[in-house]
Amino acid sequence: MTDRPRTRSDAFARAKERGRHLAATILSGPDMLTGEVFAHRFGLTVSDLPDLEQAHAILVLPGVSPREARYPAWQINATGQPFPVLPALFGALGDSGWTIYRFLMQSHPELAGQTALEALRDGRDALIARLARSLAEGTFA
């Protein structure tokens, strides 16, 4: 017999806990950098990060507290810069770093099963921007 929630609020509480656990697991991954490490690795200062975040030029995944926020190392392209398409992704999909993360990590049928991140690494920025817009509009490229 399964351990089913008794009420809707129990179900929501369990779902929230699963979400917190998954977020903690993702944030603790080896490719998730603290602000200090991210800034140093890419020739920035920590004081540069808020402006870049505000401009949606970099992806930050919020944690429970600001010190727990993480910056994915993989958002930097082969030239050592953040993917130039990031502001367009935020513009299409909204301000949530977690939404952008999910979009980049998911496989997309429009990309023959490739993830959006893999397509970005292949230099297909324009296609990824169009895909994000079509998903946001519900037109599905």
Side-chain angles (χ1 to χ4, degrees):
M1 186 174 310
T2 62
D3 185 23
R4 296 180 55 156
R6 295 180 189 261
T7 66
R8 185 178 295 193
S9 63
D10 287 345
F12 284 133
R14 287 184 182 186
K16 284 176 112 175
E17 183 53 37
R18 285 191 308 271
R20 280 191 291 272
H21 177 64
L22 179 58
T25 300
I26 291 168
L27 292 174
S28 67
D31 58 341
M32 295 294 159
L33 308 176
T34 64
E36 293 82 10
V37 172
F38 182 82
H40 177 74
R41 184 176 290 182
F42 298 108
L44 304 168
T45 65
V46 174
S47 61
D48 293 327
L49 297 180
D51 290 339
L52 293 169
E53 291 171 33
Q54 184 71 24
H56 297 305
I58 59 173
L59 175 61
V60 60
L61 298 175
V64 175
S65 73
R67 292 198 52 75
E68 293 175 0
R70 294 294 181 262
Y71 299 79
W74 45 254
Q75 69 182 295
I76 303 300
N77 66 20
T79 66
Q81 299 298 312
F83 288 115
V85 74
L86 284 173
L89 298 182
F90 278 103
L93 300 171
D95 288 337
S96 169
W98 283 108
T99 299
I100 305 304
Y101 173 85
R102 185 175 61 242
F103 171 76
L104 291 171
M105 301 309 284
Q106 285 179 330
S107 298
H108 297 276
E110 300 86 353
L111 303 173
Q114 194 176 38
T115 67
L117 178 59
E118 290 167 332
L120 285 178
R121 287 179 175 155
D122 291 342
R124 297 163 57 197
D125 293 32
L127 174 62
I128 296 308
R130 282 194 312 275
L131 177 59
R133 282 191 307 274
S134 70
L135 290 173
E137 294 167 357
T139 56
F140 305 103

